[in-house]
Amino acid sequence: MLTLCRALSLQVLRKGGSEACLGEKVKQIMRPDDANVAGNVHGGTILKMIEEAGAIISTRHCNSQNGERCVAALARVERTDFLSPMCIGEVAHVSAEITYTSKHSVEVQVNVMSENILTGTKKLTNKATLWYVPLSLKNVDKVLEVPPVVYSRQEQEEEGRKRYEAQKLERMETKWRNGDIVQPVLNPEPNTVSYSQSSLIHLVGPSDCTLHGFVHGGVTMKLMDEVAGIVAARHCKTNIVTASVDAINFHDKIRKGCVITISGRMTFTSNKSMEIEVLVDADPVVDNSQKHYRAASAFFTYVSLSQEGKSLPVPQLVPETEDEKKRFEEGKGRYLQMKAKRQGHTESQP
């Protein structure tokens, strides 16, 4: 029987002799309940581990100076690629470091390595960038200031500031265009958006939340990945795995006692990949003063695999309504943009 093993250690990482940031390392053995029927670890499980490491390091940093105590809340996850599958029995090594701080936010870079404990072989499976904001323990609606970090080079701070401004703008734009909802359709045709769209309803309990009563970002991401996986499996009816996650934006906190609806719909298919939009809506049923609201949103990309683990062609999506056709073209644009970016990166390597 596999057992859970975690090792947490705090260390100071030095760059060029300057104290640049704090580091956090987490280890965990992958168990059968972490994986799908083919033995591949769920993308949501990995996302949850990534967020846990990010939350630990950012909360520690934000409380590193005397002042009002706080907890770091996840605001955004940048695009995350799943570079290699992780399997049952392998050990996940998750390392995190702070790479930039603004007045009210922390940027954390996280790498995930998988280790075959029989051979000792390690491989990089994920690289992710997360943004956190410090919330006061006295009032979780109050955002506190972040202690600055010391950079070894001025360019590091300038590059970090550019990343901060870019993600801030994109997060606001995403929130503005997230007003629509996923509606069920009776007797949908195969390969249409309605045929595979799925929803999950979840009552937020104490085990989902921080000690301060709002949901862990990693819990939300795991539920989002589950719904996206159901959509992908319904569409192609094969083994599917998470290939990448576009930026996940957390628009508002989800509190204990809320009922959340996680909805997924397919937006685009290429020859071998599927893009799925996932929306998280919260309904504070025990608080009549607050209305139903959009809490998070993201795009997940999945691929279809054979029993031997080889990539399979994906049935092409048939958009029917004008909105579906519009979302299809937007998804195609994101796909082509990322494809060009990957090709440019490959060509630039020696």
Side-chain angles (χ1 to χ4, degrees), residues 168-234:
K168 184 179 178 181
L169 178 61
E170 186 174 337
R171 191 168 71 239
M172 292 302 299
E173 291 177 345
T174 303
K175 187 173 183 179
W176 292 335
R177 65 174 181 260
N178 264 341
D180 57 344
I181 58 175
V182 178
Q183 298 283 7
V185 175
L186 294 176
N187 302 319
E189 293 293 325
N191 300 335
T192 62
V193 175
S194 302
Y195 184 81
S196 59
Q197 70 181 30
S198 304
S199 295
L200 183 155
I201 299 175
H202 179 76
L203 174 63
V204 175
S207 62
D208 299 319
C209 299
T210 67
L211 295 175
H212 313 97
F214 55 88
V215 177
H216 289 286
V219 170
T220 305
M221 291 194 292
K222 191 172 187 296
L223 292 170
M224 295 172 78
D225 181 71
E226 287 179 9
V227 170
I230 293 171
V231 173
R234 280 180 166 172

Side-chain angles (χ1 to χ4, degrees), residues 237-250:
K237 294 180 170 52
T238 62
N239 177 35
I240 47 86
V241 293
T242 314
S244 66
V245 184
D246 209 346
I248 303 176
N249 292 290
F250 293 83

